[in-house]
PDB file of all heavy atoms in Angstrom:
ATOM      1  N   PHE A 953     -31.394  32.132 175.693  1.00 94.00           N
ATOM      2  CA  PHE A 953     -31.418  33.042 174.545  1.00 94.00           C
ATOM      3  C   PHE A 953     -32.801  33.027 173.895  1.00 94.00           C
ATOM      4  O   PHE A 953     -33.375  34.077 173.596  1.00 94.00           O
ATOM      5  CB  PHE A 953     -30.343  32.609 173.541  1.00 94.00           C
ATOM      6  CG  PHE A 953     -30.323  33.399 172.259  1.00 94.00           C
ATOM      7  CD1 PHE A 953     -29.643  34.603 172.187  1.00 94.00           C
ATOM      8  CD2 PHE A 953     -30.956  32.914 171.122  1.00 94.00           C
ATOM      9  CE1 PHE A 953     -29.606  35.329 170.999  1.00 94.00           C
ATOM     10  CE2 PHE A 953     -30.921  33.629 169.930  1.00 94.00           C
ATOM     11  CZ  PHE A 953     -30.251  34.838 169.871  1.00 94.00           C
ATOM     12  N   ARG A 954     -33.355  31.840 173.709  1.00 93.00           N
ATOM     13  CA  ARG A 954     -34.668  31.719 173.068  1.00 93.00           C
ATOM     14  C   ARG A 954     -35.769  32.352 173.916  1.00 93.00           C
ATOM     15  O   ARG A 954     -36.709  32.939 173.377  1.00 93.00           O
ATOM     16  CB  ARG A 954     -34.972  30.251 172.774  1.00 93.00           C
ATOM     17  CG  ARG A 954     -34.138  29.723 171.616  1.00 93.00           C
ATOM     18  CD  ARG A 954     -34.338  28.254 171.366  1.00 93.00           C
ATOM     19  NE  ARG A 954     -33.686  27.855 170.112  1.00 93.00           N
ATOM     20  CZ  ARG A 954     -33.515  26.608 169.739  1.00 93.00           C
ATOM     21  NH1 ARG A 954     -33.969  25.614 170.489  1.00 93.00           N
ATOM     22  NH2 ARG A 954     -32.912  26.338 168.603  1.00 93.00           N
ATOM     23  N   GLU A 955     -35.666  32.219 175.228  1.00 92.00           N
ATOM     24  CA  GLU A 955     -36.644  32.868 176.108  1.00 92.00           C
ATOM     25  C   GLU A 955     -36.502  34.386 176.038  1.00 92.00           C
ATOM     26  O   GLU A 955     -37.485  35.111 176.032  1.00 92.00           O
ATOM     27  CB  GLU A 955     -36.479  32.402 177.563  1.00 92.00           C
ATOM     28  CG  GLU A 955     -37.035  31.028 177.836  1.00 92.00           C
ATOM     29  CD  GLU A 955     -38.537  30.916 177.619  1.00 92.00           C
ATOM     30  OE1 GLU A 955     -39.283  31.861 177.967  1.00 92.00           O
ATOM     31  OE2 GLU A 955     -38.977  29.885 177.095  1.00 92.00           O
ATOM     32  N   LEU A 956     -35.262  34.862 175.991  1.00 93.00           N
ATOM     33  CA  LEU A 956     -35.016  36.302 175.958  1.00 93.00           C
ATOM     34  C   LEU A 956     -35.570  36.947 174.695  1.00 93.00           C
ATOM     35  O   LEU A 956     -36.186  38.019 174.757  1.00 93.00           O
ATOM     36  CB  LEU A 956     -33.511  36.590 176.077  1.00 93.00           C
ATOM     37  CG  LEU A 956     -32.896  36.365 177.454  1.00 93.00           C
ATOM     38  CD1 LEU A 956     -31.370  36.390 177.367  1.00 93.00           C
ATOM     39  CD2 LEU A 956     -33.391  37.403 178.449  1.00 93.00           C
ATOM     40  N   ILE A 957     -35.378  36.316 173.543  1.00 93.00           N
ATOM     41  CA  ILE A 957     -35.818  36.957 172.297  1.00 93.00           C
ATOM     42  C   ILE A 957     -37.335  36.912 172.116  1.00 93.00           C
ATOM     43  O   ILE A 957     -37.858  37.586 171.235  1.00 93.00           O
ATOM     44  CB  ILE A 957     -35.097  36.389 171.046  1.00 93.00           C
ATOM     45  CG1 ILE A 957     -35.372  34.913 170.853  1.00 93.00           C
ATOM     46  CG2 ILE A 957     -33.607  36.693 171.112  1.00 93.00           C
ATOM     47  CD1 ILE A 957     -34.804  34.332 169.554  1.00 93.00           C
ATOM     48  N   LYS A 958     -38.039  36.163 172.960  1.00 92.00           N
ATOM     49  CA  LYS A 958     -39.508  36.170 172.923  1.00 92.00           C
ATOM     50  C   LYS A 958     -40.072  37.455 173.538  1.00 92.00           C
ATOM     51  O   LYS A 958     -41.221  37.803 173.318  1.00 92.00           O
ATOM     52  CB  LYS A 958     -40.072  34.981 173.712  1.00 92.00           C
ATOM     53  CG  LYS A 958     -39.880  33.646 173.057  1.00 92.00           C
ATOM     54  CD  LYS A 958     -40.447  32.549 173.948  1.00 92.00           C
ATOM     55  CE  LYS A 958     -40.131  31.172 173.429  1.00 92.00           C
ATOM     56  NZ  LYS A 958     -40.586  30.130 174.381  1.00 92.00           N
ATOM     57  N   ILE A 959     -39.252  38.150 174.317  1.00 90.00           N
ATOM     58  CA  ILE A 959     -39.703  39.335 175.044  1.00 90.00           C
ATOM     59  C   ILE A 959     -39.684  40.544 174.119  1.00 90.00           C
ATOM     60  O   ILE A 959     -38.705  40.795 173.420  1.00 90.00           O
ATOM     61  CB  ILE A 959     -38.804  39.576 176.276  1.00 90.00           C
ATOM     62  CG1 ILE A 959     -38.936  38.394 177.232  1.00 90.00           C
ATOM     63  CG2 ILE A 959     -39.164  40.880 176.970  1.00 90.00           C
ATOM     64  CD1 ILE A 959     -37.931  38.399 178.358  1.00 90.00           C
ATOM     65  N   SER A 960     -40.768  41.293 174.128  1.00 86.00           N
ATOM     66  CA  SER A 960     -40.882  42.490 173.309  1.00 86.00           C
ATOM     67  C   SER A 960     -39.754  43.469 173.647  1.00 86.00           C
ATOM     68  O   SER A 960     -39.500  43.765 174.809  1.00 86.00           O
ATOM     69  CB  SER A 960     -42.242  43.146 173.572  1.00 86.00           C
ATOM     70  OG  SER A 960     -42.328  44.367 172.891  1.00 86.00           O
ATOM     71  N   GLY A 961     -39.072  43.934 172.622  1.00 85.00           N
ATOM     72  CA  GLY A 961     -37.990  44.893 172.826  1.00 85.00           C
ATOM     73  C   GLY A 961     -36.627  44.262 173.041  1.00 85.00           C
ATOM     74  O   GLY A 961     -35.627  44.962 173.164  1.00 85.00           O
ATOM     75  N   VAL A 962     -36.576  42.923 173.102  1.00 90.00           N
ATOM     76  CA  VAL A 962     -35.290  42.233 173.270  1.00 90.00           C
ATOM     77  C   VAL A 962     -35.035  41.416 172.004  1.00 90.00           C
ATOM     78  O   VAL A 962     -35.690  40.411 171.756  1.00 90.00           O
ATOM     79  CB  VAL A 962     -35.291  41.305 174.512  1.00 90.00           C
ATOM     80  CG1 VAL A 962     -33.973  40.559 174.615  1.00 90.00           C
ATOM     81  CG2 VAL A 962     -35.564  42.094 175.773  1.00 90.00           C
ATOM     82  N   GLY A 963     -34.087  41.889 171.223  1.00 91.00           N
ATOM     83  CA  GLY A 963     -33.723  41.185 170.005  1.00 91.00           C
ATOM     84  C   GLY A 963     -32.518  40.296 170.252  1.00 91.00           C
ATOM     85  O   GLY A 963     -31.987  40.233 171.367  1.00 91.00           O
ATOM     86  N   PRO A 964     -32.064  39.618 169.207  1.00 93.00           N
ATOM     87  CA  PRO A 964     -30.913  38.727 169.358  1.00 93.00           C
ATOM     88  C   PRO A 964     -29.653  39.418 169.879  1.00 93.00           C
ATOM     89  O   PRO A 964     -28.934  38.868 170.702  1.00 93.00           O
ATOM     90  CB  PRO A 964     -30.696  38.179 167.946  1.00 93.00           C
ATOM     91  CG  PRO A 964     -32.022  38.297 167.283  1.00 93.00           C
ATOM     92  CD  PRO A 964     -32.660  39.512 167.866  1.00 93.00           C
ATOM     93  N   ARG A 965     -29.366  40.637 169.409  1.00 93.00           N
ATOM     94  CA  ARG A 965     -28.165  41.356 169.871  1.00 93.00           C
ATOM     95  C   ARG A 965     -28.255  41.664 171.363  1.00 93.00           C
ATOM     96  O   ARG A 965     -27.281  41.515 172.092  1.00 93.00           O
ATOM     97  CB  ARG A 965     -27.977  42.659 169.091  1.00 93.00           C
ATOM     98  CG  ARG A 965     -27.606  42.433 167.670  1.00 93.00           C
ATOM     99  CD  ARG A 965     -26.110  42.279 167.528  1.00 93.00           C
ATOM    100  NE  ARG A 965     -25.790  41.928 166.158  1.00 93.00           N
ATOM    101  CZ  ARG A 965     -24.838  41.092 165.827  1.00 93.00           C
ATOM    102  NH1 ARG A 965     -24.099  40.537 166.736  1.00 93.00           N
ATOM    103  NH2 ARG A 965     -24.620  40.811 164.576  1.00 93.00           N
ATOM    104  N   THR A 966     -29.415  42.093 171.819  1.00 93.00           N
ATOM    105  CA  THR A 966     -29.601  42.392 173.239  1.00 93.00           C
ATOM    106  C   THR A 966     -29.513  41.116 174.063  1.00 93.00           C
ATOM    107  O   THR A 966     -28.899  41.096 175.131  1.00 93.00           O
ATOM    108  CB  THR A 966     -30.961  43.087 173.475  1.00 93.00           C
ATOM    109  OG1 THR A 966     -31.021  44.260 172.658  1.00 93.00           O
ATOM    110  CG2 THR A 966     -31.141  43.467 174.927  1.00 93.00           C
ATOM    111  N   ALA A 967     -30.091  40.035 173.552  1.00 93.00           N
ATOM    112  CA  ALA A 967     -30.027  38.752 174.260  1.00 93.00           C
ATOM    113  C   ALA A 967     -28.570  38.292 174.387  1.00 93.00           C
ATOM    114  O   ALA A 967     -28.154  37.795 175.436  1.00 93.00           O
ATOM    115  CB  ALA A 967     -30.860  37.699 173.539  1.00 93.00           C
ATOM    116  N   LEU A 968     -27.771  38.472 173.318  1.00 94.00           N
ATOM    117  CA  LEU A 968     -26.344  38.123 173.389  1.00 94.00           C
ATOM    118  C   LEU A 968     -25.630  38.987 174.418  1.00 94.00           C
ATOM    119  O   LEU A 968     -24.781  38.498 175.171  1.00 94.00           O
ATOM    120  CB  LEU A 968     -25.665  38.310 172.029  1.00 94.00           C
ATOM    121  CG  LEU A 968     -25.735  37.186 171.017  1.00 94.00           C
ATOM    122  CD1 LEU A 968     -24.820  37.474 169.839  1.00 94.00           C
ATOM    123  CD2 LEU A 968     -25.430  35.843 171.605  1.00 94.00           C
ATOM    124  N   ALA A 969     -25.977  40.275 174.474  1.00 93.00           N
ATOM    125  CA  ALA A 969     -25.356  41.173 175.451  1.00 93.00           C
ATOM    126  C   ALA A 969     -25.676  40.719 176.875  1.00 93.00           C
ATOM    127  O   ALA A 969     -24.803  40.723 177.745  1.00 93.00           O
ATOM    128  CB  ALA A 969     -25.823  42.609 175.232  1.00 93.00           C
ATOM    129  N   ILE A 970     -26.918  40.295 177.099  1.00 93.00           N
ATOM    130  CA  ILE A 970     -27.316  39.824 178.432  1.00 93.00           C
ATOM    131  C   ILE A 970     -26.522  38.574 178.798  1.00 93.00           C
ATOM    132  O   ILE A 970     -25.980  38.469 179.902  1.00 93.00           O
ATOM    133  CB  ILE A 970     -28.836  39.556 178.491  1.00 93.00           C
ATOM    134  CG1 ILE A 970     -29.602  40.875 178.369  1.00 93.00           C
ATOM    135  CG2 ILE A 970     -29.215  38.823 179.773  1.00 93.00           C
ATOM    136  CD1 ILE A 970     -31.093  40.717 178.138  1.00 93.00           C
ATOM    137  N   LEU A 971     -26.429  37.622 177.862  1.00 93.00           N
ATOM    138  CA  LEU A 971     -25.692  36.385 178.140  1.00 93.00           C
ATOM    139  C   LEU A 971     -24.186  36.614 178.217  1.00 93.00           C
ATOM    140  O   LEU A 971     -23.471  35.811 178.810  1.00 93.00           O
ATOM    141  CB  LEU A 971     -26.016  35.325 177.089  1.00 93.00           C
ATOM    142  CG  LEU A 971     -27.431  34.751 177.177  1.00 93.00           C
ATOM    143  CD1 LEU A 971     -27.711  33.836 175.994  1.00 93.00           C
ATOM    144  CD2 LEU A 971     -27.633  34.010 178.481  1.00 93.00           C
ATOM    145  N   SER A 972     -23.713  37.696 177.622  1.00 92.00           N
ATOM    146  CA  SER A 972     -22.294  38.041 177.734  1.00 92.00           C
ATOM    147  C   SER A 972     -21.997  38.663 179.091  1.00 92.00           C
ATOM    148  O   SER A 972     -20.909  38.513 179.625  1.00 92.00           O
ATOM    149  CB  SER A 972     -21.886  39.009 176.618  1.00 92.00           C
ATOM    150  OG  SER A 972     -21.949  38.373 175.371  1.00 92.00           O
ATOM    151  N   GLY A 973     -22.989  39.376 179.644  1.00 90.00           N
ATOM    152  CA  GLY A 973     -22.796  40.062 180.921  1.00 90.00           C
ATOM    153  C   GLY A 973     -23.139  39.230 182.131  1.00 90.00           C
ATOM    154  O   GLY A 973     -22.642  39.485 183.229  1.00 90.00           O
ATOM    155  N   LEU A 974     -24.014  38.244 181.959  1.00 89.00           N
ATOM    156  CA  LEU A 974     -24.463  37.413 183.081  1.00 89.00           C
ATOM    157  C   LEU A 974     -24.492  35.950 182.651  1.00 89.00           C
ATOM    158  O   LEU A 974     -24.942  35.652 181.544  1.00 89.00           O
ATOM    159  CB  LEU A 974     -25.885  37.805 183.515  1.00 89.00           C
ATOM    160  CG  LEU A 974     -26.115  39.200 184.065  1.00 89.00           C
ATOM    161  CD1 LEU A 974     -27.613  39.472 184.166  1.00 89.00           C
ATOM    162  CD2 LEU A 974     -25.476  39.344 185.430  1.00 89.00           C
ATOM    163  N   SER A 975     -24.053  35.062 183.528  1.00 87.00           N
ATOM    164  CA  SER A 975     -24.206  33.637 183.239  1.00 87.00           C
ATOM    165  C   SER A 975     -25.688  33.280 183.376  1.00 87.00           C
ATOM    166  O   SER A 975     -26.469  34.053 183.946  1.00 87.00           O
ATOM    167  CB  SER A 975     -23.373  32.803 184.211  1.00 87.00           C
ATOM    168  OG  SER A 975     -23.939  32.872 185.512  1.00 87.00           O
ATOM    169  N   VAL A 976     -26.070  32.124 182.888  1.00 88.00           N
ATOM    170  CA  VAL A 976     -27.464  31.688 183.004  1.00 88.00           C
ATOM    171  C   VAL A 976     -27.868  31.612 184.477  1.00 88.00           C
ATOM    172  O   VAL A 976     -28.946  32.055 184.863  1.00 88.00           O
ATOM    173  CB  VAL A 976     -27.681  30.326 182.301  1.00 88.00           C
ATOM    174  CG1 VAL A 976     -29.081  29.803 182.555  1.00 88.00           C
ATOM    175  CG2 VAL A 976     -27.431  30.463 180.807  1.00 88.00           C
ATOM    176  N   ALA A 977     -26.968  31.100 185.317  1.00 85.00           N
ATOM    177  CA  ALA A 977     -27.261  30.992 186.754  1.00 85.00           C
ATOM    178  C   ALA A 977     -27.410  32.377 187.382  1.00 85.00           C
ATOM    179  O   ALA A 977     -28.314  32.601 188.199  1.00 85.00           O
ATOM    180  CB  ALA A 977     -26.163  30.203 187.457  1.00 85.00           C
ATOM    181  N   ASP A 978     -26.539  33.323 187.001  1.00 85.00           N
ATOM    182  CA  ASP A 978     -26.631  34.687 187.541  1.00 85.00           C
ATOM    183  C   ASP A 978     -27.921  35.363 187.090  1.00 85.00           C
ATOM    184  O   ASP A 978     -28.580  36.048 187.874  1.00 85.00           O
ATOM    185  CB  ASP A 978     -25.435  35.528 187.099  1.00 85.00           C
ATOM    186  CG  ASP A 978     -24.138  35.110 187.773  1.00 85.00           C
ATOM    187  OD1 ASP A 978     -24.203  34.423 188.821  1.00 85.00           O
ATOM    188  OD2 ASP A 978     -23.063  35.463 187.251  1.00 85.00           O
ATOM    189  N   LEU A 979     -28.278  35.182 185.818  1.00 89.00           N
ATOM    190  CA  LEU A 979     -29.512  35.762 185.302  1.00 89.00           C
ATOM    191  C   LEU A 979     -30.714  35.169 186.020  1.00 89.00           C
ATOM    192  O   LEU A 979     -31.618  35.889 186.448  1.00 89.00           O
ATOM    193  CB  LEU A 979     -29.618  35.528 183.793  1.00 89.00           C
ATOM    194  CG  LEU A 979     -30.884  36.043 183.115  1.00 89.00           C
ATOM    195  CD1 LEU A 979     -31.021  37.548 183.274  1.00 89.00           C
ATOM    196  CD2 LEU A 979     -30.890  35.667 181.632  1.00 89.00           C
ATOM    197  N   SER A 980     -30.711  33.853 186.190  1.00 86.00           N
ATOM    198  CA  SER A 980     -31.803  33.186 186.899  1.00 86.00           C
ATOM    199  C   SER A 980     -31.928  33.711 188.323  1.00 86.00           C
ATOM    200  O   SER A 980     -33.029  33.986 188.805  1.00 86.00           O
ATOM    201  CB  SER A 980     -31.562  31.673 186.904  1.00 86.00           C
ATOM    202  OG  SER A 980     -32.571  31.014 187.613  1.00 86.00           O
ATOM    203  N   GLY A 981     -30.780  33.866 188.999  1.00 83.00           N
ATOM    204  CA  GLY A 981     -30.793  34.398 190.362  1.00 83.00           C
ATOM    205  C   GLY A 981     -31.300  35.826 190.416  1.00 83.00           C
ATOM    206  O   GLY A 981     -32.090  36.190 191.299  1.00 83.00           O
ATOM    207  N   ALA A 982     -30.872  36.658 189.466  1.00 84.00           N
ATOM    208  CA  ALA A 982     -31.324  38.050 189.429  1.00 84.00           C
ATOM    209  C   ALA A 982     -32.830  38.126 189.187  1.00 84.00           C
ATOM    210  O   ALA A 982     -33.521  38.953 189.788  1.00 84.00           O
ATOM    211  CB  ALA A 982     -30.568  38.816 188.338  1.00 84.00           C
ATOM    212  N   ILE A 983     -33.342  37.248 188.327  1.00 86.00           N
ATOM    213  CA  ILE A 983     -34.782  37.226 188.058  1.00 86.00           C
ATOM    214  C   ILE A 983     -35.547  36.771 189.302  1.00 86.00           C
ATOM    215  O   ILE A 983     -36.522  37.389 189.709  1.00 86.00           O
ATOM    216  CB  ILE A 983     -35.122  36.308 186.859  1.00 86.00           C
ATOM    217  CG1 ILE A 983     -34.440  36.788 185.579  1.00 86.00           C
ATOM    218  CG2 ILE A 983     -36.628  36.169 186.681  1.00 86.00           C
ATOM    219  CD1 ILE A 983     -34.846  38.147 185.082  1.00 86.00           C
ATOM    220  N   SER A 984     -35.093  35.686 189.928  1.00 81.00           N
ATOM    221  CA  SER A 984     -35.819  35.163 191.095  1.00 81.00           C
ATOM    222  C   SER A 984     -35.765  36.135 192.272  1.00 81.00           C
ATOM    223  O   SER A 984     -36.695  36.206 193.058  1.00 81.00           O
ATOM    224  CB  SER A 984     -35.302  33.783 191.494  1.00 81.00           C
ATOM    225  OG  SER A 984     -33.968  33.869 191.931  1.00 81.00           O
ATOM    226  N   ARG A 985     -34.671  36.911 192.394  1.00 82.00           N
ATOM    227  CA  ARG A 985     -34.555  37.891 193.490  1.00 82.00           C
ATOM    228  C   ARG A 985     -35.057  39.269 193.076  1.00 82.00           C
ATOM    229  O   ARG A 985     -34.964  40.215 193.858  1.00 82.00           O
ATOM    230  CB  ARG A 985     -33.101  37.973 193.967  1.00 82.00           C
ATOM    231  CG  ARG A 985     -32.621  36.701 194.661  1.00 82.00           C
ATOM    232  CD  ARG A 985     -31.228  36.856 195.250  1.00 82.00           C
ATOM    233  NE  ARG A 985     -30.198  37.106 194.254  1.00 82.00           N
ATOM    234  CZ  ARG A 985     -29.557  36.169 193.554  1.00 82.00           C
ATOM    235  NH1 ARG A 985     -29.837  34.899 193.756  1.00 82.00           N
ATOM    236  NH2 ARG A 985     -28.629  36.493 192.678  1.00 82.00           N
ATOM    237  N   GLN A 986     -35.547  39.378 191.819  1.00 86.00           N
ATOM    238  CA  GLN A 986     -36.077  40.633 191.278  1.00 86.00           C
ATOM    239  C   GLN A 986     -35.069  41.777 191.399  1.00 86.00           C
ATOM    240  O   GLN A 986     -35.386  42.870 191.864  1.00 86.00           O
ATOM    241  CB  GLN A 986     -37.402  40.994 191.974  1.00 86.00           C
ATOM    242  CG  GLN A 986     -38.544  40.020 191.695  1.00 86.00           C
ATOM    243  CD  GLN A 986     -39.003  40.087 190.243  1.00 86.00           C
ATOM    244  OE1 GLN A 986     -39.594  41.067 189.826  1.00 86.00           O
ATOM    245  NE2 GLN A 986     -38.736  39.044 189.468  1.00 86.00           N
TER     246      GLN A 986
END
Side-chain angles (χ1 to χ4, degrees):
F953 176 84
R954 287 176 171 169
E955 283 297 321
L956 287 168
I957 62 174
K958 288 179 187 175
I959 297 170
S960 174
V962 177
R965 291 274 174 217
T966 304
L968 275 189
I970 292 168
L971 289 173
S972 293
L974 296 169
S975 70
V976 174
D978 289 342
L979 178 61
S980 178
I983 299 297
S984 65
R985 292 186 297 275
Q986 294 292 290

